[in-house]
Amino acid sequence: MSARVAMAVLAASAALAVAAGCGPERVEYHKRQPGQETGSDSAPIRTADGRTIVFVDRLPSEGAAPAKDALPVGTYMLDEYGKPMSVEQMREIARKSGQDLPPPSAELTIRERDGSGRITLRAAMPEHVLENFSECIREREYEAIWEQLTSRASRHAMGRDEFVAWCEANRTELLAFLNRMAAGWNSTDVIADSIGGPQHQRYRLHPRLRKEFSFMRMEVVYEDGGCRLHSVR
């Protein structure tokens, strides 16, 4: 092959390569499998034959993803007994019924302090009672507990001054109990049951923890449109 022919072949090959590069790009969308990485491991892949493979959570043919509910923290709704349900419970009920998540009945901020320094406590669920109770004990806000967080029966059984003295005398033990209760709230370390109906709930540490804590159980009741601390034993 002469030098002139060789140069002609090389020029033709280069022209074909340029033409191929300028052709329409073939993009293939592959659905990302459950558990597949979403970072650099699933970046687009360019194959030798000119295809670009893109990994996506939802294929273009499936249309836009349905809008996710964006419930603010602290939202809840009441069931047929007037008992507040958590957002997680609401979602589970909606999933089982195949219906859209109903709008929340209220947005709740469980702890607020106004410009004068006064604290307002709110509780729609036992978790709120536990969190407010623990924070108030930690900050020695005993009167706020008695005035806003305890049930009517509890206030009748123990006056304000007696309650304040009791909280201070048992502060260390109460904090240990409440911290352990919060840590095990969604585990088998905390046993939940009803006392005479859904309006009166009891939460107990597992009996195997008895030797570690002076207090073992917390009871809450639903009254006056909220959840209230009934007793700690």
Side-chain angles (χ1 to χ4, degrees):
M1 181 183 294
S2 67
R4 180 176 296 179
V5 173
M7 289 296 295
V9 171
L10 288 174
S13 299
L16 287 173
V18 171
C22 294
E25 183 180 11
R26 292 175 53 193
V27 179
E28 295 182 7
Y29 293 95
H30 289 214
K31 195 164 187 176
R32 186 181 290 113
Q33 298 302 310
Q36 185 176 350
E37 294 292 336
T38 58
S40 59
D41 291 343
S42 63
I45 297 175
R46 297 186 184 278
T47 63
D49 59 0
R51 293 177 300 147
T52 298
I53 298 176
V54 179
F55 296 95
V56 294
D57 292 320
R58 191 176 183 85
L59 296 174
S61 60
E62 296 178 299
K68 295 182 179 180
D69 57 279
L71 294 174
V73 175
T75 56
Y76 69 97
M77 65 181 302
L78 304 180
D79 65 10
E80 58 184 312
Y81 300 104
K83 175 183 175 181
M85 292 187 297
S86 67
V87 171
E88 289 73 24
Q89 289 173 309
M90 293 163 60
R91 291 196 177 105
E92 181 64 14
I93 291 173
R95 184 189 67 77
K96 289 181 178 179
S97 65
Q99 300 177 354
D100 294 334
L101 187 66
S105 62
E107 181 178 345
L108 188 71
T109 301
I110 68 171
R111 179 184 173 92
E112 282 185 311
R113 189 185 296 273
D114 62 22
S116 66
R118 174 176 170 76
I119 298 171
T120 298
L121 305 177
R122 304 182 185 91
M125 296 184 288
E127 295 93 324
H128 301 157
V129 173
L130 177 64
E131 184 175 345
N132 273 328
F133 188 25
S134 179
E135 183 65 16
C136 286
I137 291 293
R138 185 175 295 108
E139 298 298 323
R140 288 186 163 91
E141 298 163 339
Y142 307 137
E143 292 191 1
I145 302 173
W146 189 89
E147 292 173 355
Q148 303 179 48
L149 197 64
T150 56
S151 66
R152 292 190 299 270
S154 296
R155 292 194 299 273
H156 180 75
M158 184 180 291
R160 183 199 311 266
D161 293 342
E162 185 181 0
F163 179 81
V164 168
W166 177 83
C167 286
E168 182 61 29
N170 294 281
R171 181 173 179 271
T172 300
E173 292 77 11
L174 282 170
L175 282 174
F177 161 70
L178 295 170
N179 288 338
R180 188 64 182 85
M181 183 76 76
W185 190 259
N186 293 314
S187 73
T188 56
D189 286 346
V190 176
I191 303 169
D193 51 20
S194 298
I195 301 177
Q199 301 287 353
H200 191 160
Q201 301 287 320
R202 175 174 59 190
Y203 296 85
R204 299 174 288 149
L205 290 178
H206 195 282
R208 63 181 170 77
L209 301 172
R210 186 177 302 278
K211 294 183 179 180
E212 301 178 34
F213 300 95
S214 300
F215 296 96
M216 286 294 292
R217 74 182 190 184
M218 177 183 78
E219 296 180 18
V220 299
V221 295
Y222 292 92
E223 63 181 31
D224 301 330
C227 192
R228 300 286 181 264
L229 178 66
H230 183 67
S231 67
V232 178
R233 303 179 183 177

